Amino acid sequence: MKIYNLPFIYLTFSVFLCLLMPYLVQRGMFLDGVTYATMSRNFAEGISTTQKPIYTDLYPFYEQPVLGFLIQSVFYKILGNSIYVEKIFSMLMAVLSLIGLVLCWKIFTKKTSILFSFWMPALIWITIPLVSWTFSNNMLESIITVSSIFSVYFSIKSFQKQRFLYTIISSIFIIFGFLVKGPVGIFPLVTPIIFGFIFNRRKEGFYNFILTFISCISILLLIFYTFPALKINIIKYFEVHLLPAIKDEREISTKYRGFIMWKALIQLCIPSILVLVFIFINRYKRIKNEVPFFKEALFFVLIALSASLPLMITHKQRKYYLTTSLIYYSLAFGFLLAPWVNYYIKKINLKYRKAIIYGSFFLVFITISICIIRFDKYSRDKELIEDVLYISDKLPPHTVISFEDCSNYLLNAYMYRLGYLNLDCSDDKHIYYLTVKENSLPDNLKNLYVKEKELNIYTLYKRIK
């Protein structure tokens, strides 16, 4: 390992821990993360089945395919029902994604001066705000990042080693992504076409694409034949979620299809500025011996675009949908920056290299200290979670509670994740009734319920016998 890279490898590792660990030891997650954790736990405990995935006792769930939940459910079977199971799973997905990034870097940089500069795209990737947020909140995009980066890696290996086995492995990861989050997970299918185009191996690229496509279809048909419930689940997902979303019959989060790419530019503004700065410095100082890896950078840019541009097909767009593509943009920026950055870090003297190493260890120490201090505290939703925990202690599992607000999805998710409790806004005749504290009971119910407990945000009522 080139010694001048070592301090920055330590630095990248410490930043990786610093941006993820403090959130993973605390309570609280984004709505989707709580929902996916609930679904995974339900599969682990047999509440859900592949043919009928159950979100709560009252509602089935066909918003996503089930493979991601089935994978995460293994962790609940092994580790139990702790809220930190989903946190451990999220951290593992981040680590696997990082490993995939390093492998993709090394496959292009063997026998080059930037072989050990993998810290550069890794540091760019983990410091993109959306990345650490996604991997801290148990989002399905974290699983898709893993499946896609390894699919791309093995697709490239199939070109280098000329072995059909690597095409099969790449295809397995593509189908893996499809069964986790639908068509958005299959973009690595175009990797052979892009590779062949960029590196002047067009016939081979087209041939590999056909092989990959046939392999994917064969693997998918084999899975559907072996596990027919998965086929039923995918059909339901298409009917309930995907097709209505494409037709803009579900929630519309933006009026402009280009919204998602605007968000991508915002997330990538810092590495983009760095590239422009180094281009300017290079022209000013005329550094001739260090040439960016333009072809490799273009290859990963096109992979990233194949992951992000299809998101424009619908008006239902969320910026975290971009997370899957960000690892490829980071690799592209790494290939552009690494030769120039290497030129300068070689000039850093031993004293400053030691300072970076000591600073990295100090950052790890600070991160561990924060984790100890903040362990089991709240990163968000403190009052809400406290209310849910109180109600969960008082009411038996699977109790149905009448509730006034059908759109409070986060409360619904926490209720079943933490206490197996159900909220029903269509029936006001259950034993318990929950309202927001500022609201009073409807007039027709005031003589039927008495106040059980006033909480942080909500008031719990119990029906008079």
Side-chain angles (χ1 to χ4, degrees):
M1 181 179 294
K2 297 294 179 72
I3 191 68
Y4 53 81
N5 280 300
L6 190 60
F8 296 94
I9 293 173
Y10 285 135
L11 176 64
T12 301
F13 176 73
S14 63
V15 171
F16 179 82
L17 292 179
C18 179
L19 292 177
L20 288 177
M21 287 303 297
Y23 293 100
L24 294 177
V25 300
Q26 299 181 72
R27 294 174 176 266
M29 276 197 311
F30 180 65
L31 166 63
D32 290 31
V34 182
T35 301
Y36 302 150
T38 304
M39 289 296 302
S40 302
R41 189 275 316 276
N42 290 351
F43 274 104
E45 296 184 357
I47 297 171
S48 277
T49 64
T50 304
Q51 195 163 345
K52 190 176 181 182
I54 298 298
Y55 178 32
T56 71
D57 296 335
L58 302 180
Y59 304 109
F61 187 88
Y62 295 103
E63 301 297 306
Q64 303 292 350
V66 297
L67 184 60
F69 310 138
L70 290 170
I71 294 167
Q72 193 170 353
S73 72
V74 176
F75 287 74
Y76 289 99
K77 288 180 181 179
I78 296 170
L79 301 175
N81 189 28
S82 168
I83 61 165
Y84 293 104
V85 175
E86 51 260 42
K87 309 278 189 175
I88 292 170
F89 181 80
S90 297
M91 187 64 181
L92 177 61
M93 293 300 103
V95 171
L96 289 175
S97 298
L98 188 59
I99 291 170
L101 180 149
V102 173
L103 289 174
C104 283
W105 179 268
K106 287 191 169 186
I107 204 169
F108 282 112
T109 57
K110 290 177 182 178
K111 299 179 182 179
T112 71
S113 61
I114 65 167
L115 174 60
F116 295 105
S117 298
F118 55 80
W119 60 267
M120 208 170 301
L123 186 60
I124 291 170
W125 176 65
I126 197 59
T127 52
I128 295 173
L130 192 56
V131 171
S132 56
W133 182 89
T134 299
F135 283 89
S136 299
N137 282 281
N138 193 41
M139 306 297 286
L140 286 181
E141 283 71 17
S142 64
I143 307 178
I144 297 297
T145 301
V146 174
S147 67
S148 67
I149 194 70
F150 280 100
S151 176
V152 170
Y153 169 73
F154 282 107
S155 183
I156 299 167
K157 288 278 283 186
S158 71
F159 278 91
Q160 292 189 344
K161 301 295 184 180
Q162 298 293 312
R163 293 182 63 183
F164 182 60
L165 174 63
Y166 293 124
T167 301
I168 294 294
I169 297 173
S170 175
S171 302
I172 290 171
F173 278 110
I174 291 171
I175 296 304
F176 177 95
F178 174 73
L179 294 175
V180 168
K181 203 169 166 61
V184 297
I186 67 172
F187 69 89
L189 182 63
V190 301
T191 303
I193 294 288
I194 295 173
F195 188 94
F197 175 77
I198 297 297
F199 296 100
N200 296 318
R201 297 168 70 174
R202 289 175 176 79
K203 287 185 179 179
E204 191 180 344
F206 181 74
Y207 175 72
N208 276 15
F209 168 75
I210 296 298
L211 281 180
T212 304
F213 181 79
I214 293 172
S215 299
C216 286
I217 296 297
S218 302
I219 292 166
L220 188 61
L221 291 175
L222 179 62
I223 290 172
F224 284 165
Y225 178 78
T226 309
F227 304 102
L230 266 178
K231 177 184 175 183
I232 294 170
N233 176 262
I234 287 291
I235 292 171
K236 271 285 191 182
Y237 160 71
F238 271 74
E239 292 174 349
V240 172
H241 179 86
L242 184 63
L243 294 178
I246 292 173
K247 296 175 183 177
D248 290 329
E249 294 173 356
R250 291 180 60 89
E251 62 173 302
I252 296 176
S253 55
T254 178
K255 295 180 181 179
Y256 310 103
R257 295 186 188 275
F259 167 83
I260 199 78
M261 297 311 297
W262 169 246
K263 289 297 180 181
L265 289 174
I266 293 173
Q267 294 293 319
L268 298 169
C269 63
I270 293 177
S272 300
I273 291 170
L274 279 175
V275 169
L276 293 175
V277 167
F278 273 98
I279 289 174
F280 175 79
I281 292 172
N282 181 52
R283 291 205 169 194
Y284 177 74
K285 292 203 169 186
R286 301 181 184 276
I287 305 169
K288 296 180 180 179
N289 295 329
E290 306 296 339
V291 180
F293 287 57
F294 285 117
K295 283 190 174 182
E296 290 78 2
L298 180 58
F299 170 74
F300 282 110
V301 165
L302 292 178
I303 295 290
L305 289 173
S306 73
S308 49
L309 286 177
L311 299 173
M312 296 170 62
I313 198 172
T314 172
H315 287 98
K316 182 177 182 282
Q317 298 178 9
R318 302 291 183 191
K319 66 179 181 179
Y320 54 81
Y321 294 171
L322 285 167
T323 302
T324 308
S325 66
L326 295 178
I327 197 166
Y328 305 104
Y329 286 118
S330 301
L331 280 161
F333 283 121
F335 278 111
L336 289 175
L337 289 170
W340 291 329
V341 173
N342 258 12
Y343 175 84
Y344 289 102
I345 65 174
K346 288 175 185 176
K347 299 177 180 294
I348 298 175
N349 64 40
L350 184 61
K351 180 176 73 173
Y352 291 111
R353 288 177 191 167
K354 286 183 176 179
I356 294 171
I357 292 174
Y358 294 147
S360 301
F361 283 117
F362 181 69
L363 183 57
V364 171
F365 171 77
I366 293 296
T367 301
I368 294 172
S369 300
I370 293 172
C371 289
I372 293 172
I373 293 169
R374 296 295 303 171
F375 181 75
D376 215 31
K377 292 188 169 56
Y378 297 89
S379 62
R380 55 177 290 167
D381 306 323
K382 180 178 184 293
E383 293 183 337
L384 173 59
I385 295 173
E386 287 178 344
D387 284 2
V388 172
L389 289 174
Y390 176 86
I391 297 171
S392 300
D393 285 341
K394 295 296 180 182
L395 276 56
H398 306 290
T399 298
V400 180
I401 303 168
S402 297
F403 187 56
E404 58 189 358
D405 184 6
C406 293
S407 63
N408 197 328
Y409 303 117
L410 185 58
L411 176 62
N412 200 35
Y414 275 127
M415 279 289 200
Y416 206 82
R417 173 67 187 95
L418 300 176
Y420 302 90
L421 301 175
N422 303 273
L423 296 179
D424 184 6
C425 61
S426 63
D427 188 349
D428 59 11
K429 296 180 175 60
H430 298 296
I431 295 174
Y432 291 95
Y433 195 100
L434 192 68
T435 68
V436 177
K437 191 162 61 173
E438 287 77 17
N439 299 344
S440 58
L441 277 172
D443 291 337
N444 63 318
L445 300 178
K446 286 183 178 178
N447 296 326
L448 302 177
Y449 286 90
V450 294
K451 185 182 294 186
E452 179 83 359
K453 180 69 176 180
E454 191 170 284
L455 305 167
N456 295 319
I457 303 175
Y458 302 99
T459 301
L460 181 65
Y461 295 87
K462 186 174 182 180
R463 196 174 187 91
I464 301 170
K465 294 183 179 180

